[in-house]
Amino acid sequence: MPLPPELINRVLGYLSDDSESLRAMSLVSKAWASWCQVYLFKSIHLTPPALKGWLENISPEVDGPASHTRALTLEEYRLIPWINPQGLRFPLSNLASFSGVKSLSFLYWDATLLNGMSLEPYFSHFGKSLCVLSLQFCKLDPAVFFDLLSLLPNVDDLEITYPLPHPCAQSTVLGPPEITPNFRGSLSLVDLNTGHLILGALATLPLHFSTIRIKGCTFYEQGAYQLMLTKCRDTLVTLRFEESYRDRPLPDVSLESCNELQEVHVFLHSFMKIPRSLEILFPSISSQKLRKISLSSMEFVEDEEEEDGDIDENGDDEEDEDDEEEEDGDTDEDGDGDEDEDDEDRSEDEWSAQRARTIPWGSWDTILSPLAHQAHNAEGKLILQLNVRRASQKPFEPDHLLPKFSGHGGLINVNYIQSVTDIP
């Protein structure tokens, strides 16, 4: 007696991340092969080396294995551009076989090669099901960008990360297309320092995002960010600002019109920048629905300043000499007093480690005093979440050290973290 299909699908669901087992089970019969293909082709990443094998082994039919793909990534190599009608490695018409994709990602795509060409024959079929669009490390042209968006009316989530410099950037931004995506989900913009035209083009579209993440900002981008926040004033619920490891500051924008705002998350490499950031952002918040403010940094904090006679970790009555000799200006590893020249090559964690300082909790009541009126104006209890690196194991009493905030009904939570990935 054959097993019911519902039971087989349930068993295969437990093996959805085990591709080797799925391939083995697909050899049982044609029926099992079709069931296994649902999981084997759920997420596909096409790169130049994989194109030949895909064309030789996978049917381009609309109801073929590619119809099971829900997350599709198209990656170009910088010297091998293939995502264009003139590319000889992969006929773009074969993309039509991906008929059920919900998330589409482009990596290192040179979209400038499609300027003046129609994208409809190659990408319009994604418009039926696509909800998430990601553009990472791409050369983006405003005209091609608008043409692509006009074919994807159901996209809710948009990500643009590290756009590459446009060699022939246009001096003006085109008018928005007649058909635009829903844009009712999340927007993530990371280091758009070379993407001014794309940011300006995006700001001209109807926007209804509920979550916006902005990492890194320059002076030239602030006007576009302000326009986007204003357009999302009735839908924006969660806002995230992150300082880039390249020391680009937070945008100088007003949140006065964001009446539905409930959560604000801020990540800074140095907590000493918080007073300026709070002075810019939080006095402009008029939303009485604000429920949570999250402040994060990779700097160390200590629970209290050590008093005379306290015993240090070595068991001595005197403080370590190394601690007394620490200065804000660190020397380089070579010991010559000169700063290293490879700053651009450092990872974000290395930058964070270099900026690590120790801040006494006692000074935080002054640093966070601009938030006191937010706790007072909130309709409910406002939660202040502090994500910090801990320097000692002494007990911490936030209500005692931050009376200005807790005295107005605010609730303080402290989350001790070890790396950026620990930040909720």
Side-chain angles (χ1 to χ4, degrees):
M1 178 178 179
L3 294 175
E6 296 82 3
L7 181 58
I8 296 176
N9 282 328
R10 185 168 183 179
V11 172
L12 294 177
Y14 290 106
L15 301 174
S16 58
D17 297 327
D18 188 348
S19 58
E20 293 186 4
S21 297
L22 289 172
R23 290 192 186 98
M25 296 179 72
S26 67
L27 301 176
V28 173
S29 66
K30 290 184 178 180
W32 280 64
S34 61
W35 291 325
C36 292
Q37 286 177 357
V38 174
Y39 300 98
L40 286 172
F41 290 87
K42 184 177 182 180
S43 179
I44 297 297
H45 189 152
L46 288 182
T47 61
L51 296 179
K52 183 179 179 180
W54 181 272
L55 292 175
E56 292 178 349
N57 298 289
I58 305 302
S59 171
E61 299 297 328
V62 176
D63 58 349
S67 63
H68 301 302
T69 301
R70 298 296 176 262
L72 175 62
T73 299
L74 306 178
E75 180 178 357
E76 284 190 343
Y77 289 175
R78 295 186 179 182
L79 299 179
I80 311 178
W82 64 272
I83 311 175
N84 65 81
Q86 299 174 346
L88 302 179
R89 291 176 173 267
F90 187 88
L92 282 190
S93 58
N94 283 25
L95 292 178
S97 60
F98 295 97
S99 56
V101 174
K102 295 183 177 296
S103 175
L104 177 62
S105 300
F106 291 92
L107 291 178
Y108 299 101
W109 179 34
D110 188 355
T112 62
L113 298 177
L114 281 77
N115 196 349
M117 303 181 185
S118 174
L119 303 185
E120 185 174 0
Y122 316 109
F123 299 103
S124 60
H125 67 281
F126 288 121
K128 299 177 181 179
S129 58
L130 195 67
C131 300
V132 181
L133 176 63
S134 175
L135 301 165
Q136 302 179 44
F137 306 99
C138 298
K139 286 186 180 179
L140 300 176
D141 179 276
V144 178
F145 181 61
F146 276 171
D147 193 10
L148 180 63
L149 293 182
S150 68
L151 303 174
L152 309 173
N154 296 317
V155 167
D156 284 324
D157 302 333
L158 175 64
E159 177 187 15
I160 302 178
T161 301
Y162 301 112
L164 301 179
H166 192 323
C168 301
Q170 300 176 0
S171 58
T172 58
V173 176
L174 303 176
E178 295 182 1
I179 301 177
T180 58
N182 291 328
F183 286 152
R184 297 185 180 276
S186 62
L187 171 65
S188 179
L189 303 173
V190 179
D191 272 356
L192 265 62
N193 59 306
T194 58
H196 304 317
L197 290 177
I198 296 301
L199 182 61
L202 181 63
T204 65
L205 301 177
L207 305 177
H208 312 281
F209 291 109
S210 60
T211 300
I212 294 180
R213 175 197 178 208
I214 299 175
K215 180 176 181 180
C217 180
T218 67
F219 172 79
Y220 302 100
E221 303 162 10
Q222 296 189 35
Y225 284 136
Q226 183 65 72
L227 180 58
M228 287 191 295
L229 292 173
T230 302
K231 287 190 173 185
C232 298
R233 59 183 178 273
D234 296 327
T235 59
L236 185 61
V237 175
T238 303
L239 182 60
R240 295 180 179 272
F241 288 119
E242 300 178 24
E243 183 184 33
S244 171
Y245 70 94
R246 296 177 180 177
D247 275 346
R248 294 193 180 96
L250 300 181
D252 188 353
V253 295
S254 172
L255 305 177
E256 184 176 0
S257 60
C258 301
N259 298 321
E260 301 298 320
L261 193 60
Q262 297 183 20
E263 295 187 14
V264 178
H265 302 257
V266 177
F267 172 81
L268 297 168
H269 289 290
S270 172
F271 264 125
M272 301 312 295
K273 297 180 181 179
I274 284 184
R276 173 58 179 163
S277 301
L278 300 185
E279 180 182 346
I280 294 174
L281 296 175
F282 291 97
S284 66
I285 297 179
S286 59
S287 174
Q288 295 183 349
K289 299 181 180 180
L290 192 64
R291 294 290 180 269
K292 182 177 181 179
I293 297 174
S294 176
L295 303 177
S296 306
S297 176
M298 291 306 297
E299 287 187 330
F300 288 98
V301 295
E302 61 181 8
D303 298 323
E304 293 180 0
E305 294 182 357
E306 292 187 357
E307 300 178 357
D308 294 339
D310 284 348
I311 299 178
D312 63 6
E313 295 180 356
N314 297 326
D316 302 326
D317 290 337
E318 298 180 357
E319 296 181 354
D320 294 339
E321 295 180 359
D322 293 340
D323 295 336
E324 294 179 355
E325 294 176 0
E326 283 187 352
E327 299 291 341
D328 288 346
D330 296 336
T331 58
D332 65 342
E333 296 180 357
D334 300 332
D336 55 5
D338 297 327
E339 296 182 356
D340 293 335
E341 297 179 356
D342 59 343
D343 289 347
E344 292 296 331
D345 298 331
R346 296 184 182 181
S347 66
E348 188 166 351
D349 288 341
E350 290 174 332
W351 275 99
S352 301
Q354 182 191 21
R355 289 168 170 75
R357 302 286 186 270
T358 302
I359 302 175
W361 280 116
S363 64
W364 281 62
D365 192 39
T366 302
I367 294 177
L368 301 178
S369 59
L371 300 181
H373 76 284
Q374 296 294 342
H376 178 71
N377 294 333
E379 292 180 352
K381 186 176 289 294
L382 179 61
I383 299 175
L384 173 61
Q385 177 78 44
L386 301 177
N387 303 302
V388 296
R389 299 173 73 181
R390 192 171 188 175
S392 63
Q393 300 297 323
K394 294 182 180 180
F396 170 57
E397 299 178 359
D399 293 341
H400 172 68
L401 295 176
L402 303 173
K404 292 182 180 179
F405 184 84
S406 57
H408 286 85
L411 178 64
I412 303 171
N413 293 331
V414 179
N415 179 36
Y416 294 109
I417 59 178
Q418 297 298 325
S419 66
V420 177
T421 58
D422 296 333
I423 299 176

